[in-house]
Amino acid sequence: EIVELTQNYNDEAIVWKEKIEDNSLLILVITLIGGAASYILKDKELKKGIENRAFQMLNDYPQLVSQLVLYLGAGMTMRNIFEKLAQDYVRKSKNGGKKQYVYEEIIVAVRELSSGVSEAAVYENFGIRCQSRQYTRLATLLSQNLRKGNSEMLKILQEESQKAFEEKMDRVRKIGEEAGTKLLLPMIMMLVIVMVIIMIPAYLSF
C-alpha cells in the first residue's frame, strides 16, 4: 500500500512531482467538433426527409386526383370523398400499409371539417400544408368550385387528372435521363479498365 520513494541519488536530491494530464482543451475541441458534425448530419437528415416527402407527394398526386374523379363521378360530395379516403388510409395503416404523406394531410383536413372549419378554408389549408404547386392548384380548384355542381367539378378534375399524369410522365422521363447521365462516368471507367486489361498483355508480349 505504501512505496518509499528515493530522496537522493549520488548525493543529489530528487524532487518527486505528480504528472497531471490536462485534457480539457482536447475534450472541448472534440465536443465542439462532435456538436457541429451532429448538427450538420441532423440538418442533412431533415433536408433528405423533406425531399423524400415532396417526392412521394408528387408521385401520389395523379392517383389522388383520379380517386377524386372516380368518387365524384359516383355521386359523392367532396367532403364525403375526403372522409372516405381518410378512413381507407387509416384501415390500411393498421394492416401494415406504408406511410403516405398526402393521406396524412387528408386526415388533418377531415379533422378540421369535423371541428367546424369551412370547406373552403380546409381545402386552402390542405394546399398550403402540402407545399407543392400541384396541390395548391388542386386546393384552389376545390375551394373555388364548391358552389358548382358535381358535373362541373367533375369536368375540371378530369382535366386536372390528365394534366397530372402528363406531368408525372415528364418527371419520369427526366429522372431516366438523369440516371443515364450518372451512369456515363462508371461506364467510361469500365471501358478504360477493359482497355488496360487488353493492352497490357499485348504490350508485354512484344
Side-chain angles (χ1 to χ4, degrees):
E1 295 182 0
I2 299 175
V3 178
E4 192 73 28
L5 299 177
T6 306
Q7 300 299 319
N8 54 69
Y9 179 76
N10 291 340
D11 298 330
E12 292 186 7
I14 298 175
V15 179
W16 297 92
K17 292 182 179 180
E18 183 180 358
K19 185 178 180 181
I20 300 175
E21 295 183 359
D22 184 9
N23 296 323
S24 58
L25 181 61
L26 179 61
I27 294 173
L28 176 62
V29 172
I30 293 175
T31 303
L32 292 175
I33 293 174
S38 176
Y39 176 80
I40 292 171
L41 290 175
K42 282 292 182 182
D43 188 58
K44 286 185 177 180
E45 183 180 348
L46 178 61
K47 184 178 180 182
K48 185 177 180 181
I50 293 172
E51 290 175 352
N52 289 338
R53 178 182 183 273
F55 182 76
Q56 187 196 90
M57 292 188 76
L58 276 178
N59 281 342
D60 289 341
Y61 181 71
Q63 180 186 3
L64 173 63
V65 179
S66 295
Q67 288 178 312
L68 296 181
V69 170
L70 177 64
Y71 291 130
L72 196 65
M76 295 177 65
T77 64
M78 192 57 63
R79 178 174 185 146
N80 291 337
I81 293 172
F82 265 61
E83 290 174 351
K84 177 171 177 52
L85 292 176
Q87 291 170 1
D88 291 344
Y89 174 70
V90 170
R91 186 176 64 254
K92 289 178 182 178
S93 298
K94 290 180 179 178
N95 293 330
K98 69 175 184 177
K99 183 175 182 179
Q100 292 178 276
Y101 294 102
V102 62
Y103 294 101
E104 295 284 342
E105 298 299 340
I106 288 176
I107 290 175
V108 176
V110 171
R111 289 172 181 167
E112 287 182 342
L113 288 170
S114 300
S115 63
V117 182
S118 67
E119 276 195 65
V122 167
Y123 299 143
E124 290 173 3
N125 294 338
F126 172 74
I128 293 171
R129 287 195 308 271
C130 290
Q131 297 179 345
S132 170
R133 176 174 53 84
Q134 287 82 353
Y135 285 98
T136 303
R137 186 172 66 222
L138 175 64
T140 303
L141 291 175
L142 296 180
S143 60
Q144 288 181 350
N145 293 278
L146 275 175
R147 296 183 180 179
K148 295 182 179 180
N150 277 13
S151 59
E152 186 70 22
M153 179 78 80
L154 181 61
K155 181 180 179 182
I156 294 172
L157 287 179
Q158 285 173 340
E159 294 174 356
E160 180 64 20
S161 178
Q162 181 65 30
K163 187 175 181 180
F165 275 104
E166 290 175 358
E167 290 178 350
K168 184 174 183 178
M169 291 300 296
D170 290 338
R171 285 196 305 272
V172 171
R173 193 179 299 109
K174 185 178 179 181
I175 291 172
E177 292 173 354
E178 291 176 353
T181 304
K182 291 178 181 178
L183 289 173
L184 184 61
L185 180 60
M187 290 175 64
I188 293 174
M189 292 176 64
M190 290 177 63
L191 177 62
V192 171
I193 292 172
V194 171
M195 291 178 66
V196 169
I197 293 173
I198 295 173
M199 293 177 66
I200 288 179
Y203 176 78
L204 294 176
S205 62
F206 285 104

